[in-house]
Amino acid sequence: MLAVGVLGVGVACVVTGVPGPGVSMLVGHPVAAVVALLLQRVADRRYGRVAGLAGCGVLVVAIVALTVFWWA
């Protein structure tokens, strides 16, 4: 949902001519969302260590995206 929201704000900024999120944010959020969804799918469908690592990967992707795009 965050990726969709950021894309919506980007479109609104282009239409109104005001500065908005940069290209890296507009590309990075959907990429992070897709990677997190793919890892979550692996975590949901596998068992054991693979599922655990995929679940940790989802958390890592979320933390990195929030850090890079919102706090850095």
Side-chain angles (χ1 to χ4, degrees), residues 7 17 39:
L7 289 173
L39 286 169

Side-chain angles (χ1 to χ4, degrees), residues 21-65:
V23 173
S24 64
M25 190 176 271
L26 292 173
V27 172
H29 274 82
V31 168
V34 168
V35 170
L37 286 172
L38 291 174
L39 286 169
Q40 184 62 51
R41 181 180 171 136
V42 171
D44 288 341
R45 295 171 187 262
R46 302 288 289 275
Y47 296 101
R49 186 176 183 157
V50 173
L53 289 173
C56 288
V58 172
L59 292 175
V60 168
V61 168
I63 289 169
V64 167

